[in-house]
């Protein structure tokens, strides 16, 4: 152990996260965060190791030390009998960063970083995982990427998925447009998983007619874990960007929970369906577009199995339409029995211009809120109807309730997903004021956000359209 | 070859890591039942592992090694004992407090200092034994000791951790694990490196086992406790022998590891003598010799190319003859090479690696060897090794041969070795260091209050050494004491003595020795709890049954499930009132006694006593009958 070179008073934040008695104890013994110490407690037990920063949400009674056997323990501050600093070494949590090798025979892909757990590290302040790896460092962690494509990386922002919003969507759309202009063969967007499908939806509207694939990818197990899905997802996403025929905004995430293949989901049609499973993303109201796997099924063969025939094909001569508009005064209201009409009046009074209702069944709400809806629509609010069931269509002619709602001016959106409807409405209201134009835009599909036909094997919790799942269902369907 | 080892002279030191499953209802981090084992599965999951960074930003050596092996890992799942937590698709739930309590009790029994705030850490294992790629573990206590061979054996720390999967098979690049045991809580007790002989290692294992069992909080049976034994000799380095199933096996394993290290140090001397003093000085050259060897009339060499594999000759400069340097008894350095190649390069077709000098005879051998030597341009002091299998694995094997020789220039590589039958060990993995530890960001720390520790201390059972001292003061044999503590009889014994006031030695012999004999005879002795024994000893202390009848009654209680009283009656051993059996003794005659000239009164007394005891077995106390007869015969002059 080296003798401490920097006196404790000159180290920045040497009490990082410590408060109250714990901080007092550190000060009393002239030790601080990253001090190498020997602490002896009131029972004569010796602890030799490094003082770690304390999570700010933890109590103020304990000092955390990482012992030299690698374990962490918390020592109660008032039990410390003596403590001596024997060295000082600040931890550097960094993966080896290497320049990405260039191979003229390979396709070029740009990875745009937004944050999220596909690029993460430990945070001592909260004891949690924070987005911090630059996309360049990702190569140090996943060198296999060099076998797939020439990768250029750009960190746009470092935010958690839940902090993505209009500002980021616009920046992302513009950045994608710029990369397409440069002539890349595909774009990968690193993203946290919580709102990944929201981003998939908005990018489907903001970036239309892309000549190359735009692939959003993340991970359900952070990359600080050996069993993380991050590396495989990233490899498959880069492969998709470089080689896949489908030139749409897609999500690339685990198909099954096994390290087997990723599914490519259309940006307007998928949803996170499990809070922690690896295979959390499911295409809804349709089948996934394709599978992508790390190794081809036969040596030298394709890494892709195409499921859907209705796809926009890669064509580098095509010009994309970049339209980054977004109206922020838009809301989703999830209907439930005892839903109070005040909520609608309140939103209207606050100047909300658009409302997506997630209705029950075929797209219903109860009568007591009709007057409020009428007032809101008359004041200029666009109200659209989607279904809570996620699967199936808003079919408002079936019951009187539905017809009454149509009379009020509510726009039914068929089988558009709730979150997709939100993103589309925000995007439409960001560029249109006229009710007729708005209605026209909302009901005309741009990229399958409304499917005219629902495939018979689409509605399968186990994700229909895949041969093994179909075989399973056939076997068990009594 | 060295069979005997002066442990003191070679500076043998050993320490233990004793793993003991805790008896809790649920697993450590989820709500699955603990201890429910299944041999079938209803789901499979496939995973791979990648090394990650430790908290201090370094890659762990083991992690890198295991990454090199590129294993496909398959988990077999059964919905009865596994949820989405075990398959790493759900984050951990809050740590099982029952397990924390049990661990604290174990710590208190070993006089340890309980950690004020418990922090869960992740310990990386990339062999797939845990689907997350790490074991969640936490130190519970530090700075304890056990009374051992007249001194204190240091207990460095005790941690609580989740148990791993059970291996089903490991072949080539695929390893299969069963997940039923995964996540069950177990404690790891780590001793100081203070054991000096294989016998001490065995005794320390027994002591740790008895201590754990004395808490009444641990599981027993196959696999419920396992130990790793760390061994080094002076000038050597720590080698961990993993998975020693029983204390007795440790003796030979530790002895053989001592010999192995002694021999490897001799090998280092020889390497240094030849000028190989640094790791870099070892030079290795792999050659594809499939074309030369394919024609060889040796089964495994013929098969390799036909299965799409290759045959490689790996030349190592200047190491002629060293592959045959002895290591463990009956093994050589070649086994060290084959262990590494098997695990890391996944080449597991026997004989894994061949020394050119050791090829069996076959037609055309000399011609083939000639061509081989020419191809690899071998010089007088060089040696070469043959490996076969997929080309990529052969190249990994060549590198492992280089690395193992490089290690040999430095002495003993730090590694984990697997215990095999017969007391031998084989390479399992490079010994992991602290770099594989990092905090579990999914779990908050758990403060342990003084009140909680005090409550647990109050319910603590007596430690084994206290019981042994107490029982031995009653003249109970030491081995019986151990048996009682290990098998849970001590708890029954203490309860029975307290309730019935029975003589300690009598009860200890009955519970600690007679049950053992009954168990061997197939009697379901586990049915004999404290309640059953209390009934039996109540009859004894009331003078209603003779001591000799205890095994008969106990066996009957266990087998027939009846009360002690009914069992005594059925066996016809209910004691007769003193007047009744006195009458019977009085009626005894000398009929059948063949007198001789030199007969003494003593001889006649023995004859009568024998006859009386036979007749009154189970009806009168033998000691009293003999005493009565002795008095009677001395009163009446013959």
């Amino acid at each position: 152990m080296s003798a401490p070179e920097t006196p404790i008073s000159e180290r920045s934040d040497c009490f990082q996260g410590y408060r109250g008695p714990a901080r007092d104890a550190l000060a009393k013994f002239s030790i601080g965060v990253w001090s190498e110490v020997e602490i002896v407690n009131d029972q004569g037990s010796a602890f030799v190791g490094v003082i770690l920063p304390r999570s700010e949400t933890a109590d103020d009674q304990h000092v955390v030390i990482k012992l030299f056997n690698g374990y962490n323990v918390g020592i109660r501050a008032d039990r410390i009998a003596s403590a001596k600093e024997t060295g000082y070494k600040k931890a550097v949590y960094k993966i080896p960063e290497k320049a990405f090798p260039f191979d003229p025979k390979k396709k070029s892909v740009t990875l745009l970083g937004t944050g999220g757990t596909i690029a993460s590290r430990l945070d001592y302040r909260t004891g949690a995982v924070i987005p911090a790896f630059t996309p360049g460092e990702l190569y140090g962690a996943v060198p296999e990427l060099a076998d797939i494509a020439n990768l250029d990386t750009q960190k746009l922002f470092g935010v958690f998925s839940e902090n993505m919003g209009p500002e980021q969507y616009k920046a992302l759309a513009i950045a994608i447009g710029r990369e397409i202009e440069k002539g890349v063969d595909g774009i990968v967007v690193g993203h946290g998983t919580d709102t990944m499908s929201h981003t998939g939806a908005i990018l489907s509207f903001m970036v239309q007619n892309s000549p190359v694939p735009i692939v959003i990818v993340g991970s359900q197990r952070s990359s600080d874990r050996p069993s993380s899905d991050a590396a495989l997802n990233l490899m498959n996403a880069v492969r998709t960007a470089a080689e896949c025929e489908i030139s749409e905004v897609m999500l690339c995430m685990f198909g099954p929970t096994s390290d087997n293949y990723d599914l490519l989901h259309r940006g307007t049609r998928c949803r996170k369906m499990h809070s922690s499973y690896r295979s959390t993303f499911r295409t809804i109201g349709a089948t996934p577009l394709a599978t992508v796997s790390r190794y081809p099924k036969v040596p030298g063969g394709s890494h892709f199995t195409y499921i859907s025939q209705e796809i926009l094909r890669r064509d580098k001569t095509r010009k994309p339409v970049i339209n980054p508009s977004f109206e922020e005064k838009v809301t989703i209201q999830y209907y439930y029995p005892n839903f109070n009409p005040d909520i609608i009046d309140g939103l209207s009074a606050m100047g909300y211009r658009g409302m997506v209702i997630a209705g029950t069944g075929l797209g219903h709400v109860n009568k007591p809120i009709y007057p409020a809806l009428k007032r809101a629509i008359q004041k200029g609010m666009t109200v659209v109807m989607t279904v809570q069931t996620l699967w199936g269509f808003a079919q408002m002619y079936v019951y009187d309730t539905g017809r009454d709602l149509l009379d009020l001016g509510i726009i039914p959106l068929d089988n558009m997903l709730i979150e997709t409807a939100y993103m589309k409405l925000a995007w439409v209201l960001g560029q249109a004021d006229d009710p007729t134009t708005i209605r026209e835009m909302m009901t005309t599909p741009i990229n399958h956000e409304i499917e005219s036909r629902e495939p018979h094997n689409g509605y399968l919790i186990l994700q229909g359209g895949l041969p093994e799942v179909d075989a399973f269902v056939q076997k068990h369907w009594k | 070859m060295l069979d005997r080892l002066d442990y003191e002279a070679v500076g043998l030191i050993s320490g233990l890591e004793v793993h003991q499953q805790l008896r809790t209802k649920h697993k450590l981090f989820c709500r699955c039942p603990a201890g429910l084992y299944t041999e079938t599965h209803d789901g499979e999951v496939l995973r791979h592992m990648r090394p990650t960074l430790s908290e201090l930003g370094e890659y762990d050596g083991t992690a890198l090694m295991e990454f090199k092996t590129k294993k496909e890992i398959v988990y077999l799942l059964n919905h009865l004992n596994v949820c989405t937590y075990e398959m790493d698709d759900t984050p951990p739930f809050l740590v099982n407090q029952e397990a924390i309590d049990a661990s604290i009790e174990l710590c208190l029994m070993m006089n340890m200092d309980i950690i004020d705030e418990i922090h869960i850490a992740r310990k990386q294992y990339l062999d797939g034994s845990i689907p997350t790629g790490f074991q969640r573990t936490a130190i519970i206590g530090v700075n304890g000791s056990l009374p051992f061979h007249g001194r204190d054996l240091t207990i460095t720390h005790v941690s609580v951790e989740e148990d791993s999967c059970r291996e089903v098979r490991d072949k080539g690049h695929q390893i299969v694990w069963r997940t039923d045991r995964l996540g069950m809580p177990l404690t790891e007790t780590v001793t100081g490196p203070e054991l000096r002989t294989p016998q001490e290692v065995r005794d320390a294992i027994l002591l740790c086992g008895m201590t754990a069992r004395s808490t009444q909080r641990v599981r027993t049976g196959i696999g419920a406790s396992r130990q790793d034994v760390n061994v080094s000799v002076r000038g050597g380095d720590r080698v961990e022998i993993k998975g020693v199933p029983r204390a007795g096996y440790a003796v030979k394993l530790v002895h053989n590891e001592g010999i192995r290290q002694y021999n490897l140090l001799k090998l280092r001397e020889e390497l240094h003598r030849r000028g190989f003093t640094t790791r870099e000085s070892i030079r290795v050259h792999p050659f594809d010799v499939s074309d030369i060897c394919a024609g060889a009339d040796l089964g495994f060499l013929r098969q390799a190319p036909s299965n799409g594999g290759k045959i490689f000759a790996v030349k190592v400069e200047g190491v002629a003859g060293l592959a045959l340097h002895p290591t463990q008894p009956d093994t050589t350095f070649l086994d060290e090479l084959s262990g590494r190649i098997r695990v890391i390069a996944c080449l597991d077709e026997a004989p894994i690696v061949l020394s050119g000098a050791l090829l069996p005879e076959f037609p055309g051998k000399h011609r083939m060897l000639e061509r081989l030597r020419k191809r690899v341009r071998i010089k007088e002091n060089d040696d070469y090794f043959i490996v076969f299998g997929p080309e990529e694995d052969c190249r990994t094997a060549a590198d492992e041969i280089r690395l193992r020789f490089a290690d040999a220039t430095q002495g003993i590589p730090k590694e984990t070795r697997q215990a095999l039958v017969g007391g031998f060990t084989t390479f399992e993995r490079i010994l992991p260091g602290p770099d594989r530890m990092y905090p579990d960001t999914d779990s908050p720390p758990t403060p342990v209050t003084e009140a909680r520790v005090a409550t647990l201390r109050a319910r603590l059972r007596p430690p084994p050494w206290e019981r042994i001292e107490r029982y031995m003061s009653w003249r109970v044999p030491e081995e019986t004491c151990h048996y009682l503590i290990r098998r849970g009889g001590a708890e029954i014994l203490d309860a029975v003595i307290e309730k019935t006031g029975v003589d300690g030695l009598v009860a200890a012999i009955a519970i600690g020795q007679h049950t053992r004999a009954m168990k061997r005879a197939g009697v379901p002795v586990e049915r004999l709890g404290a309640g059953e024994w209390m009934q039996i000893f109540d009859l004894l202390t009331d003078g209603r049954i003779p001591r000799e009848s205890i095994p008969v009654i106990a066996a009957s209680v266990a087998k027939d499930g009846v009360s002690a009283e009914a069992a005594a009656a059925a066996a016809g051993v209910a004691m007769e009132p003193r007047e009744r059996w006195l009458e019977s003794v009085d009626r005894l005659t000398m009929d059948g006694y063949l007198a001789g000239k030199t007969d003494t009164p003593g001889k006649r007394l023995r004859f009568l006593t024998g006859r009386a005891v036979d007749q009154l077995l189970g009806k009168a106390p033998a000691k009293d009958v003999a005493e009565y007869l002795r008095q009677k015969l001395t009163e009446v002059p013959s």
Side-chain angles (χ1 to χ4, degrees):
Chain A
M1 265 181 293
S2 59
E5 284 168 10
T6 324
I8 189 114
S9 54
E10 288 168 26
R11 294 178 207 155
S12 65
D13 211 9
C14 67
F15 300 125
Q16 199 182 334
Y18 285 95
R19 295 168 284 127
R23 186 188 175 110
D24 296 345
L26 293 181
K28 177 180 161 193
F29 293 105
S30 300
I31 54 177
V33 167
W34 306 122
S35 291
E36 291 174 337
V37 291
E38 287 173 35
I39 292 180
V40 178
N41 73 4
D42 56 4
Q43 274 194 42
S45 301
F47 299 88
V48 181
V50 180
I51 303 280
L52 291 184
R54 180 99 172 140
S55 156
E56 281 175 356
T57 53
D59 70 28
D60 59 1
Q61 304 291 320
H62 298 90
V63 171
V64 189
I65 174 168
K66 184 179 183 72
L67 304 177
F68 283 128
N69 61 14
Y71 283 91
N72 293 359
V73 295
I75 304 169
R76 222 172 67 208
D78 62 3
R79 286 192 60 197
I80 299 177
S82 70
K84 195 173 79 195
E85 181 171 86
T86 56
Y88 172 75
K89 184 183 169 194
K90 186 162 179 165
V92 185
Y93 191 89
K94 197 170 172 355
I95 54 174
E97 191 166 359
K98 304 180 218 161
F100 205 97
F102 179 80
D103 177 351
K105 289 195 289 290
K106 291 200 163 65
K107 298 282 172 80
S108 63
V109 170
T110 298
L111 169 65
L112 301 173
T114 69
T117 45
I118 196 156
S120 71
R121 50 158 282 184
L122 294 167
D123 175 35
Y124 297 112
R125 197 178 53 80
T126 59
V129 175
I130 54 165
F133 290 151
T134 65
E137 286 168 329
L138 272 176
Y139 168 61
V142 192
E144 296 96 324
L145 293 172
D147 299 334
I148 302 172
N150 293 319
L151 196 67
D152 187 16
T153 60
Q154 266 183 51
K155 188 179 176 186
L156 293 182
F157 16 83
V159 296
F160 282 126
S161 165
E162 63 267 26
N163 294 331
M164 288 289 290
E167 192 192 323
Q168 285 78 21
Y169 297 147
K170 289 177 195 166
L172 197 47
I174 290 165
I176 289 170
R178 207 169 47 226
E179 291 306 312
I180 292 173
E181 191 114 325
K182 281 190 204 161
V184 295
D185 295 295
I187 292 159
V188 174
V189 179
H191 203 290
T193 56
D194 276 10
T195 67
M196 186 185 276
S197 61
H198 299 73
T199 300
I202 193 69
L203 286 184
S204 299
F205 306 123
M206 288 184 171
V207 182
Q208 293 176 33
N209 285 321
S210 171
V212 296
I214 298 162
V215 191
I216 309 174
V217 69
S219 73
Q220 278 288 85
R221 292 287 88 77
S222 55
S223 49
D224 61 340
R225 302 165 192 243
S227 65
S228 171
D229 51 339
L232 192 55
N233 281 336
L234 193 58
M235 282 183 245
N236 284 335
V238 171
R239 168 89 56 194
T240 302
E243 298 171 9
C244 184
E245 267 308 306
I246 309 169
S247 182
E248 301 184 23
V249 174
M250 293 175 278
L251 272 67
C252 175
M253 291 289 287
F254 266 32
T257 178
S258 288
D259 290 357
N260 204 334
Y261 56 86
D262 277 58
L263 284 173
L264 297 178
H265 302 279
R266 190 165 257 146
T268 53
R269 288 243 61 96
C270 78
R271 208 164 181 282
K272 189 175 185 181
M273 297 300 281
H274 194 283
S275 62
S276 55
Y277 239 74
R278 286 167 170 74
S279 48
T280 177
F281 283 96
R282 307 281 86 174
T283 288
I284 292 181
T287 55
L289 297 178
T291 69
V292 52
S293 52
R294 182 170 174 198
Y295 300 104
K297 279 186 186 145
V298 289
S302 172
H303 294 259
F304 303 93
T305 303
Y306 293 94
I307 298 169
S308 175
Q309 304 307 315
E310 290 177 58
I311 53 170
L312 183 66
R313 291 193 176 270
R314 181 192 284 275
D315 175 4
K316 278 184 94 169
T317 61
R318 189 165 53 228
K319 291 281 164 224
V321 181
I322 309 290
N323 181 354
S325 62
F326 198 97
E327 165 58 60
E328 297 192 22
K329 288 278 188 190
V330 177
T331 177
I332 296 175
Q333 290 302 310
Y334 194 96
Y335 174 77
Y336 44 87
N338 196 38
F339 185 99
N340 196 313
D342 292 355
I343 295 168
I344 293 168
D345 284 330
L347 288 167
S348 179
M350 282 187 277
Y352 272 78
R353 292 186 57 215
M355 182 194 306
V356 176
I357 298 180
T360 57
L362 293 160
H364 303 141
V365 295
N366 72 349
K367 266 207 164 92
I369 69 170
Y370 289 5
L373 284 172
K374 196 171 178 178
R375 285 192 291 274
I377 290 166
Q378 275 171 356
K379 207 185 147 194
M381 190 193 274
T382 304
V383 181
V384 298
M385 182 63 79
T386 58
V387 293
Q388 293 175 8
T389 56
L390 301 178
W391 301 86
F393 291 74
Q395 285 168 303
M396 303 182 67
Y397 293 101
V398 179
Y399 295 104
D400 285 345
T401 324
R403 286 179 216 157
D404 293 343
L405 289 168
L406 290 176
D407 287 345
L408 294 175
I410 287 180
I411 307 167
L413 293 183
D414 289 6
N415 62 353
M416 198 186 301
L417 291 173
I418 301 164
E419 296 81 6
T420 303
Y422 171 84
M423 290 297 168
K424 187 168 185 189
L425 187 54
W427 178 75
V428 167
L429 293 181
Q431 53 193 304
D433 288 320
D434 166 50
T436 318
T437 315
I438 293 169
R439 179 179 284 265
E440 176 70 21
M441 286 179 82
M442 284 309 292
T443 52
T444 309
I446 291 168
N447 194 20
H448 296 264
E449 68 271 23
I450 291 173
E451 291 277 17
S452 53
R453 298 172 65 231
E454 182 179 346
H456 70 88
N457 57 355
Y459 170 59
L460 291 174
I461 296 300
L462 284 164
Q463 200 63 79
L466 303 167
E468 66 268 49
V469 176
D470 285 350
F472 173 85
V473 172
Q474 271 165 23
K475 200 169 131 200
H476 294 272
W477 201 359
K478 303 271 190 268
Chain B
M1 195 182 65
L2 190 64
D3 282 328
R4 296 161 60 87
L5 197 62
D6 181 339
Y7 304 122
E8 204 184 325
V10 300
L12 182 106
I13 319 178
S14 188
L16 291 177
E17 293 167 22
V18 179
H19 302 271
Q20 173 66 59
Q21 286 182 343
L22 298 174
R23 207 184 54 224
T24 57
K25 233 173 129 183
H26 301 294
K27 292 185 177 180
L28 191 55
F29 287 104
C30 68
R31 292 75 177 255
C32 284
L36 178 65
Y37 293 107
T38 46
E39 298 303 323
T40 56
H41 62 280
D42 50 28
E44 282 185 26
V45 169
L46 168 75
R47 297 273 164 77
H48 301 89
M49 298 289 165
R50 297 176 74 87
T52 67
L53 288 172
S54 80
E55 188 174 0
L56 298 179
E58 323 260 342
Y59 276 114
D60 183 72
T62 317
L64 283 180
M65 174 210 104
E66 282 166 344
F67 188 48
K68 274 198 264 181
T69 64
K70 297 192 185 74
K71 286 259 185 197
E72 255 191 8
I73 304 161
V74 175
Y75 298 103
L76 306 181
L77 314 170
N78 188 312
H79 71 283
L80 292 174
N81 43 38
V82 169
C83 67
T84 50
Y85 168 71
E86 284 94 332
M87 56 190 282
D88 191 33
D89 267 322
T90 287
F93 300 92
L94 291 181
V95 62
N96 182 344
Q97 295 299 322
E98 189 189 5
I100 300 286
D101 279 351
S103 312
I104 292 176
E105 281 187 44
L106 176 63
C107 289
L108 292 174
M109 193 164 277
M110 298 190 289
N111 198 24
M112 302 185 84
D113 194 356
I114 306 301
I115 293 298
D116 301 319
E117 190 184 59
I118 297 168
H119 285 249
I120 315 284
R122 300 175 180 173
K123 192 192 273 185
Q124 252 187 41
Y125 282 97
L126 300 191
D127 58 357
S129 57
I130 304 191
T132 44
F134 52 76
Q135 179 185 42
R136 291 193 161 90
T137 171
I139 291 190
I140 304 295
V142 294
N143 191 21
S145 67
L146 287 173
F148 180 74
H149 286 206
R151 60 181 203 262
D152 277 342
L153 174 63
T154 307
I155 304 298
T156 316
H157 69 261
V158 165
S159 54
V160 66
E161 51 196 34
E162 40 186 3
D163 209 340
S164 56
C165 294
R166 295 194 286 146
E167 187 181 313
V168 177
R169 62 179 172 273
D170 180 4
K171 183 87 186 130
H173 287 272
Q174 192 191 59
I175 187 163
V176 180
W177 301 93
R178 198 174 292 291
T179 47
D180 48 6
R181 190 181 73 182
L182 173 67
M184 283 171 62
L186 56 84
T187 52
E188 181 187 63
T189 301
V190 180
T191 76
E194 297 162 8
L195 304 167
R196 301 157 193 156
T197 65
Q199 290 72 26
E200 281 199 353
V201 172
R202 176 197 57 207
D203 293 349
I205 292 173
L206 288 174
L207 177 60
C208 289
M210 281 196 290
T211 307
R213 285 176 181 215
S214 294
T215 64
Q216 293 285 298
R217 298 278 233 152
V218 301
R219 286 182 192 275
T220 56
I222 297 165
S225 70
R226 288 137 18 217
Q227 29 274 320
D228 303 342
V229 183
N230 290 304
V231 184
S232 69
V233 301
R234 191 176 305 112
D237 216 327
R238 183 161 83 94
V239 164
E240 181 186 90
I241 305 172
K242 202 166 177 57
V244 180
R246 266 195 230 150
Y249 293 1
V251 177
K252 199 164 178 198
L253 286 166
V254 172
H255 170 85
N256 285 351
E257 179 55 29
I259 288 180
R260 177 177 166 269
Q261 295 202 11
Y262 177 85
N263 283 330
L264 285 174
L265 292 176
K266 290 260 177 270
L267 176 64
R268 178 177 65 181
E269 279 175 30
E270 177 59 22
L271 282 163
H272 285 200
R273 204 186 58 75
R274 296 190 188 189
F276 299 107
T277 52
T278 61
R279 297 181 57 86
E280 293 71 31
S281 58
I282 298 293
R283 296 168 67 92
V284 163
H285 313 272
F287 296 88
D288 184 343
V289 294
S290 309
D291 55 326
I292 298 177
C293 296
D297 197 8
L298 275 177
F300 51 89
L301 287 186
R302 260 207 322 267
Q303 274 164 23
S306 60
N307 295 339
K310 297 272 185 197
I311 302 168
F312 267 68
V314 183
K315 179 171 83 169
V316 188
E317 291 178 15
V319 301
L322 297 187
L324 299 181
H325 189 86
T327 49
Q328 302 173 76
D330 298 327
T331 65
T332 65
F333 191 70
L334 196 60
D335 297 281
E336 301 276 326
L337 298 179
S338 86
R340 289 274 284 252
I341 292 169
R342 178 179 51 79
V343 173
I344 299 173
C346 296
L347 292 177
D348 50 13
E349 292 292 338
I352 299 176
V353 58
L354 285 143
S355 157
L358 280 187
L359 275 181
E361 281 302 327
F362 57 89
K365 172 179 168 181
H366 292 285
R367 210 181 108 66
M368 188 191 93
L369 289 189
E370 205 47 48
R371 289 179 67 198
L372 267 181
R373 299 172 71 86
K374 223 167 164 182
R375 170 75 58 85
V376 306
R377 293 189 290 277
I378 198 147
K379 295 208 190 75
E380 197 184 343
N381 290 326
D382 301 343
D383 202 349
Y384 64 94
F385 302 93
I386 296 172
V387 293
F388 53 97
E391 177 169 352
E392 200 183 333
D393 294 347
C394 287
R395 293 196 181 277
T396 310
D399 203 42
E400 282 310 310
I401 290 173
R402 177 181 66 78
L403 288 171
R404 187 60 191 88
F405 270 106
D407 286 346
T409 63
Q410 304 304 302
I412 320 292
K414 289 185 183 185
E415 62 190 42
T416 298
R417 298 184 65 83
Q418 193 188 344
L420 302 177
V421 281
F424 295 94
T425 57
T426 181
F427 176 79
E428 183 168 296
R429 58 168 167 252
I430 292 163
L431 195 64
D435 285 344
R436 65 164 168 169
M437 303 282 298
Y438 58 126
D440 184 21
T441 47
D442 299 325
S443 303
T446 309
V448 180
T449 63
E450 281 169 355
R452 180 176 184 176
V453 174
T455 308
L456 293 169
R457 197 186 292 280
R459 52 172 285 184
L460 209 58
R461 306 301 306 151
W465 49 91
E466 187 197 303
R467 277 186 163 135
I468 290 171
E469 195 186 334
R470 182 151 45 95
Y471 298 167
M472 284 181 72
S473 74
W474 305 334
R475 291 184 293 124
V476 178
E478 187 170 3
E479 205 227 331
T480 306
C481 300
H482 287 190
Y483 180 80
L484 282 164
I485 294 166
R486 280 205 323 271
R487 300 284 162 180
E491 279 296 314
I492 297 175
L493 178 64
D494 287 0
V496 167
I497 291 172
E498 197 196 321
K499 281 271 163 32
T500 67
V502 66
D503 176 70
L505 179 61
V506 171
I509 297 298
I511 299 172
Q513 286 186 0
H514 293 156
T515 43
R516 219 169 160 178
M518 282 189 259
K519 195 174 175 188
R520 277 197 295 270
V523 176
V525 290
E526 61 282 356
R527 292 196 193 155
L528 295 171
E532 286 73 20
W533 283 112
M534 277 178 208
Q535 287 182 9
I536 294 169
F537 288 118
D538 272 339
L539 291 177
L540 180 74
T541 50
D542 291 353
R544 294 169 62 195
I545 55 164
R547 214 170 76 191
E548 299 72 34
S549 65
I550 291 174
V552 180
I553 296 174
S556 166
V557 169
K559 267 195 296 205
D560 309 327
V562 295
S563 72
E565 204 157 351
V573 294
M575 204 86 94
E576 288 183 354
R578 187 175 168 86
E579 310 80 59
R580 282 267 295 282
W581 65 256
L582 282 181
E583 271 174 42
S584 307
V585 175
D586 287 342
R587 278 201 302 275
L588 283 176
T589 65
M590 296 296 279
D591 284 356
Y593 177 67
L594 298 172
K597 267 190 214 160
T598 55
D599 280 3
T600 59
K603 190 165 178 194
R604 275 174 304 182
L605 175 62
R606 280 196 297 278
F607 172 76
L608 272 184
T609 308
R611 178 174 278 196
V613 168
D614 273 358
Q615 219 171 75
L616 293 168
L617 181 65
K619 294 176 185 152
K623 213 170 113 193
D624 294 4
V625 171
E627 178 60 22
Y628 175 74
L629 272 173
R630 196 184 58 76
Q631 275 178 18
K632 203 178 151 186
L633 288 188
T634 40
E635 269 165 23
V636 186
S638 55

